[in-house]
Amino acid sequence: MPHALHARLPKNFVLEERLERYGSVIELKPENLRGRWAESCAPLGAAPFSEMRLDLGCGKGAFAVEAARREPDVLFVAMDSEPICVAYAAQRVFESGLPNVVVVPSTGMRVREFFSPGELSVIHLNFPTPFPRKRDAGKRMACMERLMDFREVLAPSGEVRLRTDSQPLFDFMLTQVPLAGYELLWESRDARSERPNDPASEYERRLGAQGARVLALTAKPGPVPERVEQTAELSLAAYLPHDLETLQGLAYAPHGMEATVENLRNRAAREGRQNASTI
Ligand SMILES: C[S@@+](CC[C@H](N)C(=O)[O-])C[C@H]1O[C@@H](n2cnc3c(N)ncnc32)[C@H](O)[C@@H]1O
């Protein structure tokens, strides 16, 4: 585990101990439940869940728990690849006492191994890690390749729902939606104002308090495209505004892209000065 993660941990946090303590809400073999989650996870004697949703990259689980509390007939699978997030999410689920949330410690790269065709009604991508650099673009959950995976496990009327503070990631995702043959059902650059009652994740609360607007979209798979080909610019820096005035007017730099915004501002300022001196 990277050392930086230990720095954020509270005193006396022993990961293995936590994972064991909250093990009853953690599913370590999700592949074994493929195609039968709704029955297998239903409380003893209860009817199978009516639908199942995936909170992919669930972080500490606030969104999944709140959504599950509001919709008791729906099974929520909260998945994260980071063990510390899994431990926190499992604690939250365990303490909530809700029977309709399961925590899965794994990567979203493997969704097709864990869910059968049509098994999921919604895949939530709440503040997915943006991985702004081109060389890391393959790790993004909000991209054409993952959308192609998701269409394999979504129900015919299933949806992918993205929420993010990152305008560059959002604009990148808007290029990916048609490339993967999805239809855009809803798009908002201020989702909190438009739909104030939607449950908020930890990141949404934290970044919202820092002035972030929530950008959100809902898309559903349409016909499979004849050619699936990545034609979009992969570096998220390409989706930032490049003129100095707009860059200086940006009240909020997307989380994780503060340095890129600063570099672009400096570059635009330098170029502005150079142009002025050559006139
Ligand atoms: C910025 S956090 C957002 C957490 C939460 N959804 C929220 O909104 O508060 C992104 C999360 O995605 C997780 N993540 C990144 N890549 C992942 C992957 N390939 N599979 C599953 N989770 C991933 C990270 O560990 C992290 O917890």
Side-chain angles (χ1 to χ4, degrees):
M1 196 185 308
H3 289 298
L5 289 175
H6 286 297
R8 288 191 283 124
L9 292 178
K11 260 189 179 169
N12 307 326
F13 186 103
V14 181
L15 181 62
E16 292 69 23
E17 211 175 271
R18 299 263 176 149
L19 292 173
E20 202 177 308
R21 196 180 319 157
Y22 306 118
S24 59
V25 299
I26 301 175
E27 179 51 61
L28 293 173
K29 294 255 179 235
E31 59 277 22
N32 291 351
L33 293 180
R34 189 173 188 269
R36 45 189 200 89
W37 288 85
E39 298 91 72
S40 303
C41 295
L44 218 61
F49 288 106
S50 61
E51 60 173 274
M52 177 162 65
R53 303 194 193 155
L54 173 64
D55 179 5
L56 181 50
C58 66
K60 294 181 181 176
F63 175 88
V65 166
E66 178 54 21
R69 193 184 61 74
R70 294 186 192 188
E71 296 189 84
D73 293 341
V74 178
L75 175 64
F76 284 85
V77 175
M79 184 187 290
D80 207 287
S81 52
E82 178 55 61
I84 292 162
C85 292
V86 169
Y88 277 121
Q91 176 175 3
R92 193 182 281 264
V93 171
F94 184 88
E95 288 173 355
S96 76
L98 289 166
N100 58 331
V101 200
V102 184
V103 181
V104 170
S106 190
T107 168
M109 299 289 179
R110 299 183 59 194
V111 286
R112 287 187 304 163
E113 295 171 46
F114 303 151
F115 306 105
S116 63
E119 202 168 17
L120 291 169
S121 60
V122 179
I123 298 178
H124 294 279
L125 299 174
N126 290 317
F127 293 72
T129 314
F131 296 109
R133 283 186 293 202
K134 180 177 176 175
R135 68 160 184 257
D136 296 327
K139 298 179 189 164
R140 284 176 207 150
M141 290 293 109
C143 69
M144 180 191 78
E145 290 80 1
R146 299 288 74 73
L147 286 175
M148 291 307 292
D149 280 355
F150 299 161
R151 63 158 62 245
E152 303 283 326
V153 293
L154 279 171
S157 58
E159 296 175 356
V160 173
R161 297 185 192 163
L162 169 73
R163 291 171 86 81
T164 180
D165 66 308
S166 174
Q167 164 269 316
L169 181 69
F170 187 72
D171 286 330
F172 169 73
M173 183 65 158
L174 285 175
T175 67
Q176 304 298 283
V177 164
L179 290 177
Y182 279 57
E183 188 190 328
L184 199 59
L185 300 175
W186 179 62
E187 175 191 353
S188 170
R189 289 185 187 256
D190 191 0
R192 267 278 36 101
S193 306
E194 258 182 70
R195 298 186 178 174
N197 296 324
D198 281 355
S201 67
E202 282 96 4
Y203 266 72
E204 182 158 337
R205 283 187 201 288
R206 186 146 66 81
L207 300 179
Q210 291 169 19
R213 285 244 169 111
V214 177
L215 307 141
L217 66 79
T218 299
K220 71 165 192 183
V224 179
E226 264 171 40
R227 277 182 64 172
V228 180
E229 197 183 352
Q230 185 58 268
T231 53
E233 177 64 61
L234 290 175
S235 164
L236 292 190
Y239 297 84
L240 281 166
H242 277 62
D243 64 293
L244 185 59
E245 207 179 314
T246 319
L247 279 165
Q248 278 176 338
L250 277 187
Y252 174 81
H255 181 63
M257 289 195 75
E258 297 86 348
T260 315
V261 170
E262 196 49 37
N263 287 341
L264 283 175
R265 271 185 189 137
N266 291 338
R267 192 194 302 169
R270 265 198 316 275
E271 283 167 4
R273 274 199 299 277
Q274 265 166 17
N275 289 345
S277 66
T278 53
I279 291 170

